[in-house]
Amino acid sequence: MTKRKSSLVLLVLSMVYGAVIALLAITGSEALSVVAIAGGAVLGIGWAVVGYLSSQKGQTTT
């Protein structure tokens, strides 16, 4: 998967995550905190991996 494609996938997932959190907040769901923590962790790790791998591709070994 290319950097652009993986970034686009993560961007769409971040938008969906935000919509789900908003929906849970509006409905007053008790699962809000669990979903927020789990989703935030997954998205954070995803963005970190994409950033790390994109920075590794730019480096050259000597």
Side-chain angles (χ1 to χ4, degrees):
M1 188 179 293
T2 65
K3 178 186 172 194
R4 180 182 164 111
K5 192 173 187 178
S6 58
S7 294
L8 183 61
V9 168
L10 280 171
L11 180 64
V12 170
L13 286 176
S14 296
M15 289 180 191
V16 170
Y17 169 71
V20 168
I21 295 300
L23 188 62
L24 289 174
I26 289 171
T27 60
S29 175
E30 293 181 9
L32 176 63
S33 59
V34 173
V35 173
I37 292 169
V42 169
L43 284 174
I45 291 169
W47 281 112
V49 168
V50 168
Y52 176 76
L53 292 178
S54 67
S55 70
Q56 293 298 313
K57 288 182 182 178
Q59 294 179 356
T60 58
T61 57
T62 56

